[in-house]
Amino acid sequence: MYAALWRVLPGPVWLRVIEALVLAALVVAVLFQWVFPAVADLVPFNDNTVG
């Protein structure tokens, strides 16, 4: 999968590295901004069992 993404990115190697880093940062930002808060109520990690 990573090889396919690498082949799709345009430009020379140095530009592909920058584009891949920007894409990875964008994915992480989307996860933290929208995905993780949306599923936080469904994940039982915040349930305390020690009283």
Side-chain angles (χ1 to χ4, degrees):
M1 179 175 156
Y2 296 114
L5 178 62
W6 188 255
R7 284 191 300 267
V8 171
L9 291 175
V13 173
W14 63 269
L15 184 60
R16 288 181 183 187
V17 170
I18 293 172
E19 291 171 345
L21 290 174
V22 168
L23 284 173
L26 182 64
V27 167
V28 169
V30 166
L31 285 173
F32 276 104
Q33 288 293 321
W34 293 291
V35 177
F36 293 156
V39 299
D41 295 333
L42 304 174
V43 180
F45 294 138
N46 291 336
D47 296 341
N48 293 331
T49 57
V50 178

